[in-house]
Amino acid sequence: MTVEGLERVLEERRLVVEEALVRLAPVSESPTVALAVADSLHAPAKRLRPILVLLVAEILKGDPKSVLPAACAVEMVHTASLILDDLPCMDDASLRRGRPACHVTHGQATALLAAFAMLNRAYEVLAEGWPGGPDGAGRSGLAKELARAIGLTGMIAGQAADLAMTAKEVDFPTLEFIHSRKTGALFIAAASLGAQAAGAQPSERAAMEAYAKNLGLAFQIVDDLIDVSSGAGEAGKDVGKDTKKTTFVSFAGVDGAKQLARELVKASQEALAGFGPRAQTLLDLASYVVTRRK
């Protein structure tokens, strides 16, 4: 598939996700929290993680509509994590998705409430069920997978390790641990939710998770490269915030980081060898990830 063809596929899926997010977004009796949620959740974004849920389901011959609410739950979790990540007590970022960070516009207290509202709504969506979706046991499995991605063996573990290692030397295993949890965990959850909701066999689910694990790390390396090579306007977020942290770029240099990203993309693609031509969209997506500029 050409780059233009892939971008059309991604844009089509992005619009589907955007429309569903409007329908499924949390409803609040607090106007201030509702506005903070809306500003964050509906800000311009790539929606790569929910798109991954849809693409995995499609490749496994599932109905994308049957996984769309699960995809939106993933995006709500991701957006909540960005709000928390940007707080002064965390990464202290002022720009996100081309707009002032949530706490800059709405204050730290309201930003926290907005993040919690989206996390809560993500699980509510999974619990409610939807036409064509998994049964109660299946939805319970999706919720467990998403909780694992967020929790003390997932994103929280990665963020805690990242904060603890600020201004300290970090070896490569520790760096990989941080980003396989902080970034990779939600990529893996997205692939897993798409596979589970589509009724995949265990071997198919494992292959998709292996693909997503390597894709997530490649995505983080490109993030590190963007941090040192792009302006905030191009990136849509603060850049140069990682100068006190060991990143893949500071550890391996620009050329080394680019090479590692290419190797991870290759590994992600090899994980899909058993799917043959039907996995072409995901193969192309992995290549596309390393060319992004924001």
Side-chain angles (χ1 to χ4, degrees), residues 31 53 62 136 150 158 173-174 191 220 225 230 266 271:
V53 177
I150 298 168
T174 302
Q220 180 58 52
L225 288 164
S230 299
K266 182 180 179 182

Side-chain angles (χ1 to χ4, degrees), residues 27 77 87 167 182-183 201 220 232:
V27 176
V77 166
L87 289 171
K182 187 174 176 179
T183 302
Q201 296 298 315
Q220 180 58 52

Side-chain angles (χ1 to χ4, degrees), residues 4 18 62 89 163 173 205 267 283:
E4 292 77 12
E18 298 279 2
C89 61
L163 292 171
R205 176 181 166 186
L283 298 176

